[in-house]
Amino acid sequence: MITELVAHPCLERVTDAESAAKAVAGLTGYATGDVPLLVRRSGAEAVALVTGAFPNASAYPLRDAPQGMWADHDFDPGRYAPVSTVRVNAVVAEAEVWNPATGTRQAAAITVKGQQSTIKVLLDGAPAAIVVWREGEAPLTAPEAPSPATVETDLSSGWYGRLVPTMDNTWGDLAPPAATPVDQLQIWSFTWQNGDAEQAARATYGNRVRVLGPVPTERAPAALDRDAVGRILAGEWPLVDDDAGWGVSLYSSSRGAADPGPGTLGHKGLVNEEFIRVGRPETGTISRVRAVVETDRLGAAELIVGAAAGKRLWWNGVELPTGNGYLASARIDIDQRLNVIEYELSDAEIHVGLGTPAETDALGSFFCLTRPGEFSPRPQFMRLPPAVRPDGQVTYRARVHLRQDATEGVLIVGAATGVTAFLDGAVVARQERVEYYGSAWAATPDYFRHDLSLEAGEHLLEIVADSTQAGDVVYVDLVARTNSSVVTLVSGSGWEAETGGWRGRSIEHRGRWAELQPCHAAVRPHPLHGTPWLHGAPALGTTVDAIHVTDDITPAPQQLRTILPAGAISVHLPLRLGARVLLDCVEQRLDGTTLDLGRPLQAPTALEIVTEPTVVLRGGGVLSGPVTVRTEKVPVPLGNWHAMGLAGWSGGMRYSRTVSVPSGSDSAGVPVLDLGRVRGTVEVAVDGEKAGEAFCGPYRFALPGTAGRTVRIDITVYNTLAPFLHESTPTAWTFPSQLASGLLGPVTLLTPQAVLADS
């Protein structure tokens, strides 16, 4: 690259630094503007990028926010300057303004004074423009031609709208199974009448867990005993003392935590395993989790709790063994549908990493019930005992036995150091430490996949880590598939370990940097029953039990309210129990789970759902999925779709109407359709023929040949996936500015008229 740069024909050579400074001095200030310019110059010609605002059109003035993320971005076109100027320290002969979005070019007015020229840049609502000019003799100044008179026709009403589906579910990314249509409006958000209070609710989110802490260990409340559990399940006592500072952790059995924070379901495409959030307990403090669990499993079961912290665990007031690892597993016998789980977390081990910001004050955890032995072994971090210091290399050894040749062998190794993998003494993989963000995140493990060829018999796997720190961890997940079985070998405690003259066994490191499920060599059971829609069925083990969780066993009807959009003609309500449905306070007849309206609603209408009394299905938990709405073409106003009952719609809306265009003059120019403000990209068609498209302002479209005619105008506005993802998932990577969509207007038709000559 350096050789090519030195040989470049445009490179100017000078003898010393002083000469270099003199050579470039003339370039400073050659072209300046109302905003900083990006200028490129070649001889007498130059080009500049001129933006409509500075320093940032999407959030100005600058705001402070953690990690540089601005949750209050906006895109107000009123912030763009309508006119800007470029000042050139030279005589400019001609200049043009180019619109990079449309490709249109327009001559720019130039004012020359002495050896300085000022170019007038008409941005006219555009976020940016390109200005090109040529130096030369000063242009002759000519009087500006009079602007033609214009007839303005207000077209801000009278539109009919219909939804245009655009989402592609070919691979099952948006709904199970693959290719399931997602062409109907989905409604996820509701207002929930919780006693005397109104709360926001989301479909499927109704599992309520009570959480406390962190609190000093000596001030922690006593764990429930059997007598207290009996009184709670009999309705005599509340689950917790609300005056003691207990909060609520809400989750969905299919989508996990209501607010998992950055890093999940936004850029990883996964439902977080740790669906319960508590305050992060440090040394000398604890956090507590307590809930009522409804299960259909009676008899032998396995209760599993996961968290990167120390644990104590109680089931129906009886303390169970937990061990010291990330997972705690205990065999229990269940003899009743309603039960109480309680666990305590201490000494959290959360490390800074891609999925865990440095300022996090939350600790994630989960619990689930399964048939004994069905949760499937899963890899944990392993390391040397604390008293052992590596001498530069640490070898971890374990054996795996196959009854048949493997049809597929996958090895995933994670480490914050370089690693060499040996199979039966031969090197099968080498991975180096990649310092993407090492300076900020220290020893964050990197994970790599390696394909292995494994024959029937016993094999020795050795992982040699280039380790110098006692706390260095290694992660191993080997999955071998044969024609009749799946064999696994996972890291954790108990591997043979060797460094220098020391030999012994590895121990488990229960700390976490981020979710480990993307690093599994095969899909394991998720601790939530309803996640196969995204993860697929587990390849190892079986899906965990379906359970419902609540914090109050008093039966109560659930009331949910939302808005149906104009055009709604049929509504599907995936109710988990019996309910009444009302539209604008008038009860409607349900045909199973379908509400057939007979004819399209002509205006947004309030929908209310009132269920029969329930103990465990609370809030959005009464719905197994979103309410889906089939719509037809109806009159619609201009405005934000969010206010029309279309908050979760990702796709398009086609606005249509007929327009009688006033007569004009061909010599004066063609009629122009000005859409005003638009949130999204837009296409315009006249009598079915495309007239133009735009993804940014100004949203103006020439309509040649329409003067004096009555035509049909179709305006199709498209938004992004953000509204759908914001409504249907707990992603933290959508922001308020991304949720506004639609044709906001005002919409005006500008028809030029001929200018009459003076008599």
Side-chain angles (χ1 to χ4, degrees):
M1 180 180 295
I2 295 176
T3 303
E4 293 177 359
L5 180 62
V6 171
H8 198 282
C10 293
L11 181 66
E12 183 177 346
R13 292 175 171 79
V14 294
T15 57
D16 52 37
E18 184 177 351
S19 300
K22 292 180 179 179
V24 299
L27 300 177
T28 304
Y30 166 70
T32 59
D34 300 334
V35 297
L37 306 178
L38 179 62
V39 180
R40 294 294 181 266
R41 183 183 181 189
S42 177
E45 297 177 340
V47 58
L49 175 66
V50 181
T51 58
F54 176 79
N56 192 325
S58 60
Y60 180 83
L62 296 175
R63 304 171 174 95
D64 293 329
Q67 298 184 342
M69 295 192 308
W70 295 341
D72 57 349
H73 271 302
D74 59 55
F75 297 87
D76 183 2
R79 187 174 297 126
Y80 301 148
V83 179
S84 189
T85 58
V86 173
R87 294 173 291 278
V88 181
N89 283 323
V91 176
V92 174
E94 59 179 339
E96 288 184 345
V97 177
W98 297 358
N99 186 323
T102 64
T104 58
R105 302 181 179 188
Q106 183 178 1
I110 306 167
T111 302
V112 179
K113 291 184 178 180
Q115 292 299 306
Q116 186 178 74
S117 304
T118 301
I119 304 172
K120 183 178 181 181
V121 183
L122 293 177
L123 290 163
D124 206 19
I130 294 175
V131 182
V132 297
W133 65 88
R134 179 180 60 82
E135 299 174 18
E137 295 184 6
L140 298 175
T141 56
E144 291 189 12
S147 299
T150 301
V151 175
E152 295 189 7
T153 306
D154 183 12
L155 301 180
S156 296
S157 59
W159 296 94
Y160 281 76
R162 70 175 181 87
L163 299 184
V164 180
T166 61
M167 291 196 299
D168 184 356
N169 194 40
T170 300
W171 306 107
D173 299 308
L174 306 175
T180 297
V182 286
D183 55 354
Q184 294 186 357
L185 170 68
Q186 298 185 9
I187 298 178
W188 290 82
S189 295
F190 301 84
T191 299
W192 173 38
Q193 189 70 40
N194 184 18
D196 295 331
E198 288 188 347
Q199 295 179 220
R202 183 179 290 180
T204 75
Y205 285 85
N207 293 291
R208 294 169 59 86
V209 175
R210 301 308 293 267
V211 295
L212 176 69
V215 297
T217 304
E218 64 274 10
R219 289 170 43 197
L224 300 174
D225 58 21
R226 289 183 176 183
D227 179 65
V229 168
R231 290 176 178 271
I232 290 169
L233 296 180
E236 300 173 5
W237 287 1
L239 180 65
V240 300
D241 178 3
D242 284 325
D243 294 331
W246 290 81
V248 175
S249 183
L250 180 70
Y251 74 91
S252 159
S253 295
S254 60
R255 280 162 168 78
D259 184 17
T264 52
L265 221 66
H267 62 279
K268 286 295 184 186
L270 56 86
V271 177
N272 216 13
E273 286 192 337
E274 296 175 346
F275 54 84
I276 298 173
R277 290 289 188 271
V278 298
R280 177 176 176 172
E282 305 290 355
T283 302
T285 67
I286 62 97
S287 291
R288 189 73 63 81
V289 175
R290 190 181 290 176
V292 176
V293 179
E294 182 190 60
T295 175
D296 291 331
R297 180 176 295 283
L298 298 177
E302 189 170 5
L303 173 62
I304 297 167
V305 176
K311 304 172 193 67
R312 295 182 68 189
L313 172 63
W314 295 264
W315 179 260
N316 289 334
V318 177
E319 187 166 6
L320 303 173
T322 58
N324 296 316
Y326 176 85
L327 287 179
S329 175
R331 298 292 179 96
I332 57 175
D333 286 311
I334 304 176
D335 57 6
Q336 56 195 30
R337 288 175 58 85
L338 292 181
N339 305 268
V340 174
I341 185 175
E342 183 171 9
Y343 59 88
E344 180 178 288
L345 302 174
S346 59
D347 298 321
E349 297 182 42
I350 303 297
H351 309 299
V352 178
L354 179 61
T356 309
E359 64 275 7
T360 186
D361 58 0
L363 171 67
S365 67
F366 70 79
F367 67 87
C368 60
L369 289 172
T370 72
R371 191 167 53 194
E374 291 295 335
F375 197 59
S376 175
R378 53 187 62 207
Q380 307 297 337
F381 291 116
M382 62 183 176
R383 62 179 176 86
L384 298 176
V388 181
R389 178 164 296 279
D391 72 342
Q393 280 194 337
V394 178
T395 301
Y396 296 93
R397 298 186 185 91
R399 290 166 175 79
V400 61
H401 184 82
L402 277 67
R403 295 182 179 273
Q404 299 173 301
D405 292 348
T407 57
E408 180 187 37
V410 176
L411 171 66
I412 293 181
V413 178
T417 65
V419 171
T420 305
F422 295 83
L423 183 65
D424 298 327
V427 175
V428 292
R430 171 66 186 177
Q431 61 190 53
E432 301 294 342
R433 168 61 176 155
V434 182
E435 294 280 354
Y436 292 120
Y437 306 100
S439 60
W441 292 343
T444 303
D446 296 318
Y447 304 86
F448 296 87
R449 172 188 169 120
H450 312 286
D451 294 322
L452 300 183
S453 178
L454 294 165
E455 297 178 346
E458 186 174 81
H459 298 277
L460 174 65
L461 179 66
E462 295 177 288
I463 304 297
V464 180
D466 303 338
S467 182
T468 59
Q469 302 297 320
D472 287 343
V473 300
V474 171
Y475 169 99
V476 179
D477 191 13
L478 171 61
V479 176
R481 302 174 188 272
T482 72
N483 290 327
S484 61
S485 64
V486 180
V487 179
T488 64
L489 177 63
V490 299
S491 54
S493 62
W495 280 49
E496 296 176 24
E498 178 181 348
T499 183
W502 178 88
R503 292 188 177 186
R505 296 286 177 175
S506 65
I507 65 170
E508 180 186 335
H509 176 83
R510 72 184 177 205
R512 285 293 185 272
W513 285 263
E515 280 281 323
L516 283 179
Q517 54 175 316
C519 309
H520 288 167
V523 176
R524 264 95 170 175
H526 194 285
L528 290 172
H529 173 81
T531 59
W533 72 272
L534 183 60
H535 296 267
L540 300 171
T542 59
T543 302
V544 302
D545 291 352
I547 61 175
H548 300 296
V549 175
T550 187
D551 59 349
D552 185 354
I553 67 163
T554 304
Q558 303 299 296
Q559 294 176 265
L560 298 174
R561 293 190 301 277
T562 191
I563 298 295
L564 295 180
I569 191 170
S570 177
V571 183
H572 172 65
L573 301 107
L575 292 161
R576 284 180 162 139
L577 67 169
R580 297 184 299 118
V581 176
L582 301 89
L583 288 182
D584 278 349
C585 301
V586 177
E587 188 164 352
Q588 307 292 312
R589 179 181 175 275
L590 266 181
D591 183 8
T593 58
T594 300
L595 174 61
D596 190 351
L597 302 178
R599 65 186 188 91
L601 296 176
Q602 298 301 296
T605 303
L607 169 71
E608 184 175 7
I609 301 169
V610 183
T611 75
E612 62 190 25
T614 175
V615 171
V616 294
L617 297 175
R618 303 282 178 169
V622 303
L623 295 166
S624 62
V627 169
T628 53
V629 184
R630 183 167 62 87
T631 63
E632 292 186 357
K633 182 178 178 179
V634 291
V636 294
L638 305 186
N640 190 339
W641 296 350
H642 197 283
M644 302 178 187
L646 299 170
W649 179 249
S650 284
M653 179 185 284
R654 183 160 295 141
Y655 302 80
S656 304
R657 63 163 289 175
T658 57
V659 176
S660 295
V661 182
S663 299
S665 167
D666 290 341
S667 62
V670 300
V672 173
L673 181 66
D674 187 338
L675 303 185
R677 188 173 180 185
V678 178
R679 284 296 287 125
T681 60
V682 64
E683 294 178 356
V684 172
V686 177
D687 289 336
E689 297 293 327
K690 185 175 179 179
E693 58 188 2
F695 64 86
C696 65
Y699 294 96
R700 297 193 186 98
F701 302 88
L703 307 181
T706 60
R709 296 174 50 214
T710 297
V711 296
R712 188 186 85 249
I713 296 179
D714 295 316
I715 304 168
T716 307
V717 177
Y718 299 98
N719 63 359
T720 69
L721 269 176
F724 175 80
L725 293 177
H726 182 80
E727 287 291 306
S728 64
T729 77
T731 178
W733 295 97
T734 57
F735 301 100
S737 63
Q738 298 173 295
L739 307 182
S741 307
L743 176 57
L744 309 183
V747 178
T748 307
L749 182 65
L750 308 173
T751 308
Q753 305 294 299
V755 178
L756 298 178
D758 293 336
S759 56

